[in-house]
């Protein structure tokens, strides 16, 4: 399966490199905010789809921060965020943001949550009608930022280490900047597989049925609770593969590109990952994992 990526058409005067640097800066600022300004007692502002799918006050404040920062530097771009305060743009670029990916972990102080920021071309509200151009996933607990642009590779840097040039140049001068490379595992039986579950009870029931078939055929399963961090773990090789249904654009936009730029292949039921299914793994493994999840599965649309 081909992993060739071509740079989409961008507005005049805009480069992938500058968009990637901006993703890093935005994700870093939001990550610092949700960590450093986290109230001692967290409050649940509302629920989303079910009682188990929470929205915290900090979700909203983090998204408001991202909106403000994006509109200061890219006022003509669109914005699509998990909390629903969307902005129509005129430039052809849309920022797709998840202000806290792993909200339940954040609520319970489980150190596995992130801020995901990506810029995409196409209609991010449609299935298969968009592609990420640049993205960053900031991990506030580890104080790391993972990032990629189309054709630039996938990288991890310490939160406080400002990106000032290309990541490759930064890495040559700053040893803490590290290039990400996905696992080369090719056997399903040796695969450490990350996955996740939806919040609606009927969706969870279907996903549990799928896992009954999947679990005996892989080395083990990991359920971390953040799709963005799962995709980063595919990129850095700390898991061999990831598969989950029910993902929205903000869940996967940045992680999708980071995984691809690290050498993984990211697909769905078809070529485009999304709500029905998202699978990420190395080229030798991805079709085995996709086949395993598609066999008898009912898509969560």
């Amino acid at each position: 399966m081909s992993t060739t990526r071509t740079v989409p058409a961008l507005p005049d005067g805009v480069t992938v490199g500058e968009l990637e640097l901006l993703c890093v800066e935005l994700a870093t600022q939001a990550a610092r905010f949700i960590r450093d300004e986290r109230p001692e007692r967290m409050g649940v502002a509302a629920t989303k789809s079910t009682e188990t799918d929470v929205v915290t006050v900090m979700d909203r404040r983090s998204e408001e921060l991202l909106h403000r920062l994006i509109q200061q530097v890219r006022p003509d771009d669109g914005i699509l965020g998990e909390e629903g305060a969307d902005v129509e743009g005129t430039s052809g670029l849309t920022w797709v943001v998840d202000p806290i990916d792993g909200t339940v972990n954040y609520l319970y102080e489980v150190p596995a949550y992130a801020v995901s920021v990506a810029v995409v071309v196409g209609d991010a509200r449609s299935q298969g009608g968009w592609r990420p151009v640049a993205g960053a996933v900031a991990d506030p607990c580890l104080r790391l930022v993972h990032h990629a642009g189309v054709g630039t590779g996938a990288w991890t840097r310490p939160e406080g280490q400002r990106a000032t040039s290309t990541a490759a140049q930064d890495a040559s001068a700053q040893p803490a900047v590290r290039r990400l490379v996905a696992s080369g595992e090719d056997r399903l039986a040796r695969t450490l597989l990350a996955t996740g579950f939806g919040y609606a009870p009927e969706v969870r029931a279907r996903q549990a049925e799928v896992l009954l078939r999947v679990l005996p055929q892989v080395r083990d399963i990991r359920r971390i609770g953040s799709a963005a961090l799962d995709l980063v773990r595919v990129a850095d090789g700390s898991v061999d593969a990831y598969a989950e249904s029910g993902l929205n654009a903000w869940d996967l936009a940045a992680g999708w590109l980071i995984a691809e730029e690290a050498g993984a292949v990211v697909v769905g039921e078809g070529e485009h990952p999304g709500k029905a299914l998202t699978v990420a793994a190395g080229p030798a493994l991805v079709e085995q994992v996709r086949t395993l999840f598609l066999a008898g599965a009912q898509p969560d649309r």
Side-chain angles (χ1 to χ4, degrees), residues 31-98:
R32 286 173 171 158
F33 172 75
I34 65 172
R35 181 187 64 235
D36 298 344
E37 300 297 323
R38 187 185 189 280
E40 187 173 337
R41 287 176 170 267
M42 286 298 301
V44 179
T47 58
K48 300 177 187 177
S49 57
T50 74
E51 288 293 326
T52 56
D53 191 7
V54 297
V55 182
T56 66
V57 172
M58 292 297 284
D59 270 298
R60 292 177 176 170
R61 292 181 63 193
S62 178
E63 187 162 301
E64 289 166 2
L65 171 64
L66 288 168
H67 274 237
R68 184 166 66 252
L69 293 172
I70 292 167
Q71 291 180 312
Q72 285 172 359
V73 292
R74 301 284 311 170
D76 297 327
D77 295 352
I79 304 174
L80 176 66
E82 183 178 14
E83 305 314 321
D86 300 340
V87 174
E88 293 291 338
T90 59
S91 69
L93 298 177
T94 300
W95 293 84
V96 180
V97 302
D98 194 336

Side-chain angles (χ1 to χ4, degrees), residues 151-166:
T152 70
W155 304 85
T156 290
R157 68 178 60 243
E159 179 187 273
Q161 199 168 74
R162 184 176 177 83
T164 57
S165 58
T166 69

Side-chain angles (χ1 to χ4, degrees), residues 279-298:
V279 176
L285 190 61
V286 67
E287 279 303 325
Q288 297 178 65
V289 176
R290 175 160 66 172
T291 299
L292 189 58
F293 272 76
L294 283 177
Q298 300 180 48

Side-chain angles (χ1 to χ4, degrees), residues 140-242:
C141 300
L142 295 181
R143 297 175 186 253
L144 295 174
V145 186
H146 318 281
H147 58 95
V150 174
T152 70
W155 304 85
T156 290
R157 68 178 60 243
E159 179 187 273
Q161 199 168 74
R162 184 176 177 83
T164 57
S165 58
T166 69
Q169 290 170 334
D170 283 352
S172 65
Q174 305 174 66
V177 178
R178 179 171 58 93
R179 187 160 195 163
L180 303 181
V181 180
S183 165
E185 183 57 66
D186 61 359
R187 288 182 56 186
L188 200 58
R190 295 192 304 224
T191 295
L192 182 61
L193 175 73
T195 192
F197 309 123
Y199 290 102
E202 64 277 9
V203 172
R204 289 183 167 196
R206 289 198 296 270
Q207 290 170 326
E209 290 173 3
V210 172
L211 283 185
L212 286 174
R213 183 180 65 255
V214 170
L215 188 55
Q217 301 191 54
V218 298
R219 169 169 280 164
D220 208 348
I221 296 285
R222 292 293 178 269
R223 200 284 187 179
I224 295 161
S226 164
L229 291 179
D230 282 330
L231 287 162
V232 166
R233 286 182 169 90
V234 171
D236 71 13
S238 57
V239 300
D240 300 306
Y242 165 67

Side-chain angles (χ1 to χ4, degrees), residues 267-289:
V267 294
E269 282 189 326
E271 181 181 351
H272 198 289
K275 198 81 169 176
L277 183 65
T278 296
V279 176
L285 190 61
V286 67
E287 279 303 325
Q288 297 178 65
V289 176

